[in-house]
Amino acid sequence: MTSPARRTADARLDGVITAAFGRHYEVEIQHSGDAGNGETAPLKCYPRGKKSVFACGDEVEVTPTGSAQGVIEQLRPRRNLLWRSDAFREKLIAANLTQVILVVATEPGFSDMLISRCIAAAESQQIKTLIVLNKADLQQQLPMARTQLAPFERLGYPVLELSAREGADALRPKLAGERSILVGQSGMGKSTLTNALVPAARAATREISEALNSGKHTTTFARLYPIDNGWLIDSPGLQAFGLAHLGADELAESFVEFHPYLGKCRFRDCQHEAEPGCALRAAIGAGAIDPRRFEHYRQIRDEIAVAKRQTQGW
Ligand code: GDP
Ligand code: ZN
């Protein structure tokens, strides 16, 4: 069923950014409040201003300038924004999310440091995280992977085991009504999952494969697909998830298990290293905080400090 597109002042249309190519964007015009039905072709849009940067999932007002083109007039307020950064670059990943789905797999191995990074990025934007353990059919490595994920599960981050090859549908109930992004190192099975769940993604893969004259599809930019009353963003592999934009307090707060101890150290500017009366270190000693998670926190904190010095040219 097609309903008339929602109109705003001056024949502007409401839309959602479904792909960001740097200078131009694809915008799916919204029908009756959803992210489009995926059946109408998106508009190729340019921003009106010079220096405007948008992300997949951004809600925008667009003025059509032709049958398949438009100008982005305005950005609607973002509920949140997932991004990564180092000292010199910032990259918007996606906006207006309700859920980050972090895909790891039994094979090849994965980095639990990357899990902590990803969770910190999501927590700092009040986005929930779901961990998917893919390739559960490869049973030999399954116990290892489970052991690696157990500390995160204990913190309340749900872990869903599945095989994208044999039963990607297990993820479907978790997508309904949500605005999700799939992230993870390459090789974890994100494309396999997306292709199994989203018919439009399969079509895109085929087009790219034909264009490159190869059967292999590599995601090089994020793309948003409407799905089950929400949408799903398939993003390129994230090998590094820099958090240089986070402040020191913000980072500590994004480690949920630190919450009861923050502000309880004897010294207000405690670095949680060797200071007497450090509540965090006491909690580690008492077994209330996993030392590995604290190590992740320290690494990210030190990396942020280095990035700040680089930015300031020290
Ligand atoms: P991406 O880089 O995260 O998009 O990963 P791909 O979807 O390209 O998958 C990487 C490799 O893992 C491919 O060879 C897939 O066929 C394979 N793969 C994906 N899902 C599964 C699974 O559930 N079981 C097994 N055994 N292999 C899988
Ligand atoms: Zn301390």
Side-chain angles (χ1 to χ4, degrees):
M1 198 181 77
T2 53
S3 49
R6 263 203 285 153
R7 299 219 160 237
T8 55
D10 308 325
R12 290 186 186 181
L13 302 175
D14 283 335
V16 173
I17 299 211
T18 52
F21 297 105
R23 287 199 48 236
H24 79 272
Y25 299 87
E26 272 184 23
V27 178
E28 182 95 33
I29 299 306
Q30 278 180 295
H31 300 267
S32 60
D34 60 17
N37 51 19
E39 285 162 16
T40 47
L43 298 185
K44 181 178 180 180
C45 292
Y46 292 87
R48 170 80 67 197
K50 242 190 278 165
K51 221 185 165 249
S52 29
V53 181
F54 305 106
C56 247
D58 264 334
E59 294 170 1
V60 291
E61 287 178 19
V62 167
T63 305
T65 53
S67 62
Q69 285 210 5
V71 172
I72 300 172
E73 304 282 2
Q74 204 181 340
L75 175 69
R76 301 233 161 198
R78 287 173 176 144
R79 270 152 286 194
N80 52 47
L81 178 66
L82 192 66
W83 53 339
R84 57 205 269 221
S85 57
D86 59 26
F88 307 105
R89 267 166 315 181
E90 289 179 346
K91 190 157 169 26
L92 311 190
I93 302 173
N96 299 320
L97 296 160
T98 61
Q99 172 169 257
V100 170
I101 301 177
L102 175 61
V103 185
V104 297
T106 50
E107 282 178 31
F110 56 87
S111 145
D112 58 353
M113 174 71 184
L114 189 72
I115 301 182
S116 281
R117 274 177 197 281
C118 174
I119 287 175
E123 288 287 348
S124 71
Q125 291 290 311
Q126 279 95 44
I127 307 168
K128 65 183 172 190
T129 304
L130 167 68
I131 300 172
V132 168
L133 173 55
N134 186 28
K135 309 195 198 180
D137 54 300
L138 301 177
Q139 304 230 337
Q140 222 184 350
Q141 306 299 330
L142 199 50
M144 236 294 264
R146 282 180 181 154
T147 306
Q148 229 182 330
L149 293 177
F152 298 100
E153 209 167 10
R154 276 199 292 276
L155 292 175
Y157 300 105
V159 175
L160 177 65
E161 280 181 21
L162 55 78
S163 162
R165 269 198 195 156
E166 293 167 8
D169 273 333
L171 183 58
R172 206 176 283 281
K174 301 283 187 189
L175 300 176
E178 302 281 355
R179 299 161 170 219
S180 312
I181 184 166
L182 286 180
V183 301
Q185 295 161 265
S186 67
M188 296 293 139
K190 292 186 304 297
S191 314
T192 309
L193 259 181
T194 314
N195 288 345
L197 293 166
V198 190
R202 273 198 299 277
T205 304
R206 214 166 33 238
E207 271 170 38
I208 291 167
S209 303
E210 280 164 15
L212 298 177
N213 197 17
S214 78
K216 177 97 185 85
H217 160 50
T218 37
T219 314
T220 50
F221 51 85
R223 189 171 274 284
L224 179 151
Y225 301 102
I227 182 171
D228 299 340
N229 221 4
W231 43 249
L232 173 69
I233 294 176
D234 181 21
S235 72
L238 287 182
Q239 305 294 353
F241 209 123
L243 297 171
H245 53 283
L246 290 189
D249 291 347
E250 237 180 327
L251 177 69
E253 273 157 30
S254 68
F255 281 70
V256 287
E257 69 273 43
F258 294 4
H259 283 182
Y261 313 103
L262 295 176
K264 305 271 168 68
C265 301
R266 185 177 306 164
F267 301 110
R268 213 154 54 90
D269 60 348
C270 185
Q271 295 297 301
H272 322 304
E273 292 297 337
E275 296 95 331
C278 173
L280 268 188
R281 296 208 75 93
I284 296 166
I289 291 177
D290 182 343
R292 232 183 127 64
R293 282 274 290 171
F294 184 73
E295 201 40 52
H296 292 167
Y297 161 76
R298 272 172 91 185
Q299 273 189 42
I300 301 170
R301 182 193 64 190
D302 294 352
E303 179 189 293
I304 291 174
V306 169
K308 289 228 157 74
R309 283 199 295 274
Q310 285 174 331
T311 319
Q312 290 157 6
W314 290 9

